[in-house]
Amino acid sequence: MHDRIRNPATKQKGPLMKIVEANGARIPAIGFGTWTLRGTQARDLVANAIQVGYRHVDTAAMYENEEAVGEGLRASGVNRGEIFLTTKVWPDNLAAGALQRAVEDSLSRLGVEQVDLVLIHWPSKTVPLAESIEALNEVRERGLVRHIGVSNFTTSLLAEAVALSSAPLVCNQIECHPFLNQDKVIAACAQHSMAVVSYCPLARGSELFAHEAVAACAEGHGKTPAQIVLRWHVQQGLIAIPRSSNPDRARENLDIFDFELTTEEMAAISGLRGRNLRICDFDFSPEWDAA
């Protein structure tokens, strides 16, 4: 499905934007990621991103930028109801009571009455998942959030979470890019009618962009390597949330809906997944699904 989005500065129709529908949520396929952005830079970049057409903004309590993101939302001049806003709860706050307070604190920092989506940022190794999922459902029932979901969940954790939740989970936000094979998790999400949101969608940038499978596509389509990789994501039905501190690149990242990769081009880029490069792997990470 494609919806047109309007540039508030010009009052003209903006670029075509694909909308991914998942368990009642309608999520723009390209979002603006804010990891590592801080202070006035975060505020200004968020405001600019919305003004050039983004309608999906992703943040988290751990990013320590929710105040700035909220300021950017208001500075953009775009009605709050037009923006799909996601935040996340860190594992330290997944116990009953703590999760609810963490969501309330996020709303206060963002300066909004409700977020569109709240996620368990990483699964906890100490708090029972049933306890966290029950608390997640409670904040939805209270109207603090419109939708709930998870992040960094493996196939087994995803199945457990779905079984425990009374409300549908709308997405699993995972590290996903052409250098990492996430086929099993993507298939599990599809089985549960959940969206996949790709963080680190461009991997480590220059290394991926220089690869012949990407570079040749960029030359052939007259697009940047980043645009090719983002197109690879959305053409599979994935949602990508690239972060950029460069306003011009942020605008370019949104401009991917006027061309299509061929079956052969998609396959060539997907063939890079044998590299199995995982950027975000920590002591507290779950035991990842084997490729």
Side-chain angles (χ1 to χ4, degrees):
M1 177 181 294
H2 294 79
D3 286 355
R4 283 196 177 274
I5 53 179
R6 185 178 295 277
N7 184 325
T10 63
K11 305 300 182 183
Q12 299 297 315
K13 288 290 186 180
L16 286 171
M17 170 62 75
K18 181 178 180 182
I19 301 295
V20 176
E21 298 187 356
N23 284 336
R26 301 182 75 252
I27 311 173
I30 294 292
F32 188 71
T34 64
W35 184 26
T36 77
L37 302 180
R38 297 284 191 278
T40 57
Q41 182 195 39
R43 178 200 64 199
D44 294 345
L45 287 167
V46 167
N48 175 77
I50 295 170
Q51 288 166 352
V52 301
Y54 285 83
R55 292 297 181 269
H56 175 186
V57 177
D58 181 271
T59 185
M62 188 274 285
Y63 299 170
E64 298 182 346
N65 64 9
E66 287 174 313
E67 291 98 336
V69 168
E71 291 171 3
L73 293 177
R74 291 182 287 279
S76 73
V78 175
N79 187 285
R80 165 70 187 94
E82 295 185 32
I83 312 300
F84 191 95
L85 177 61
T86 299
T87 194
K88 313 177 196 76
V89 179
W90 194 245
D92 289 351
N93 289 314
L94 294 182
L99 186 147
Q100 292 93 323
R101 287 189 295 274
V103 172
E104 292 168 351
D105 290 344
S106 284
L107 294 180
S108 177
R109 288 189 292 265
L110 286 161
V112 299
E113 294 182 356
Q114 183 186 61
V115 291
D116 298 280
L117 176 62
V118 69
L119 307 177
I120 292 174
H121 202 155
W122 287 83
S124 172
K125 294 185 176 181
T126 57
V127 179
L129 184 57
E131 185 174 336
S132 302
I133 294 294
E134 182 177 358
L136 200 62
N137 275 267
E138 183 184 321
V139 295
R140 180 182 178 274
E141 291 164 3
R142 288 171 55 192
L144 302 182
V145 308
R146 292 177 60 213
H147 304 287
I148 56 176
V150 296
S151 181
N152 296 298
F153 272 44
T154 60
T155 55
S156 59
L157 284 169
L158 195 62
E160 185 180 357
V162 169
L164 289 167
S165 185
S166 56
L169 303 177
V170 305
C171 84
N172 187 14
Q173 186 177 124
I174 58 173
E175 179 180 342
C176 186
H177 48 74
F179 280 159
L180 179 63
N181 188 337
Q182 291 281 39
D183 284 354
K184 290 181 179 178
V185 181
I186 292 171
C189 288
Q191 180 183 352
H192 299 299
S193 301
M194 294 171 62
V196 172
V197 178
S198 305
Y199 72 78
C200 295
L202 303 176
R204 287 179 172 154
S206 58
E207 183 181 0
L208 174 59
F209 297 165
H211 199 286
E212 177 64 17
V214 174
C217 286
E219 182 177 357
H221 289 279
K223 292 289 185 177
T224 67
Q227 288 171 324
I228 295 298
V229 175
L230 293 173
R231 180 70 203 184
W232 175 84
H233 283 277
V234 301
Q235 212 162 302
Q236 297 177 75
L238 310 179
I239 298 164
I241 49 171
R243 179 203 65 83
S244 180
S245 58
N246 183 316
D248 292 333
R249 291 201 188 98
R251 184 190 292 268
E252 287 178 355
N253 288 344
L254 197 64
D255 186 21
I256 62 167
F257 299 102
D258 60 350
F259 74 103
E260 188 168 334
L261 298 174
T262 67
T263 300
E264 293 75 18
E265 289 169 334
M266 289 289 293
I269 298 171
S270 295
L272 304 178
R273 292 175 298 181
R275 172 77 181 278
N276 267 330
L277 169 69
R278 190 177 288 277
I279 298 168
C280 297
D281 194 10
F282 310 107
D283 291 342
F284 55 79
S285 299
E287 184 175 345
W288 302 114
D289 292 287

